[in-house]
Amino acid sequence: MNILDAILDAQGGATARQAGAAVGLSPDDTRSALSALVPALAGGLHRNASSSGGLDALIGALSGGQHSRYVEDPSLAASTATLQDGNGILGHIFGSKDVSRQVAAQAASQTGLSADVLKRLLPIAATMVMGSLATQQMRGAPAGAAGGGDLFSMLTPMLDRNGDGSVMDDVLGSVGRMFGGR
């Protein structure tokens, strides 16, 4: 199961519905928004985890951060603590608020939803991504295996958009589009 499906299916869909409701989105708009935001988050995580020491940092964050609560308890979506944690996660994934704004703007152009609403959903989505990965790790994914084991298997289907078996060309293309290249 890829990360987007894990998020959309968490708690029978209640987690995603609650996240969308926290920013005023209908269930259909929430699905559309998450379908646009989660691949960018997954790409950032994949890029970070592929860097020197990045996989160890990700495994450490997943092990110690109690992130699984974000997909297990839908009522946490609108909490101040979730937003703070989500903004911290975004800082690690993207490095700056400017990149987060660019991700929201790109998602807005893909979905037709307001960039402002997507900016508000982005930290919630970040906690849900980490929660899904933490849940996968707790279920016994061999996260310490070379390449990240099943953690990367959750990210890869979303990132390999052209189905060529390599995510690098797709991630690099997405990053290039985020920073103004076409």
Side-chain angles (χ1 to χ4, degrees):
M1 175 179 292
N2 74 42
I3 192 93
L4 178 61
D5 291 338
I7 289 169
L8 293 173
D9 294 343
Q11 303 304 313
T15 300
R17 283 191 304 275
Q18 188 66 30
V23 298
L25 292 175
S26 71
D28 286 341
D29 285 344
T30 300
R31 177 177 281 280
S32 178
L34 290 173
S35 294
L37 293 174
V38 170
L41 292 164
L45 279 170
H46 194 279
R47 181 180 43 82
N48 289 350
S50 298
S51 68
S52 177
L55 181 58
D56 289 337
L58 176 61
I59 292 169
L62 293 173
S63 297
Q66 300 178 354
H67 298 290
S68 61
R69 69 183 185 261
Y70 296 120
V71 292
E72 293 170 355
D73 185 355
S75 70
L76 294 176
S79 78
T80 301
T82 298
L83 295 176
Q84 289 173 342
D85 198 15
N87 282 320
I89 292 166
L90 289 173
H92 289 291
I93 293 174
F94 296 137
S96 79
K97 289 183 180 185
D98 289 337
V99 175
S100 291
R101 287 183 196 110
Q102 291 171 358
V103 167
Q106 177 69 25
S109 72
Q110 291 173 347
T111 64
L113 298 170
S114 161
D116 182 56
V117 169
L118 293 169
K119 280 191 279 190
R120 291 184 298 155
L121 182 61
L122 195 52
I124 300 169
T127 62
M128 293 166 61
V129 166
M130 289 295 287
S132 292
L133 290 172
T135 299
Q136 180 70 21
Q137 184 182 21
M138 287 187 327
R139 289 184 180 150
D150 283 345
L151 294 178
F152 279 133
S153 74
M154 289 183 76
L155 300 173
T156 299
M158 298 188 63
L159 301 174
D160 187 15
R161 293 183 182 186
N162 62 4
D164 66 355
S166 170
V167 298
M168 289 312 296
D169 58 333
D170 303 292
V171 170
L172 291 174
S174 293
V175 170
R177 284 189 298 278
M178 273 195 291
F179 291 105
R182 295 284 172 213

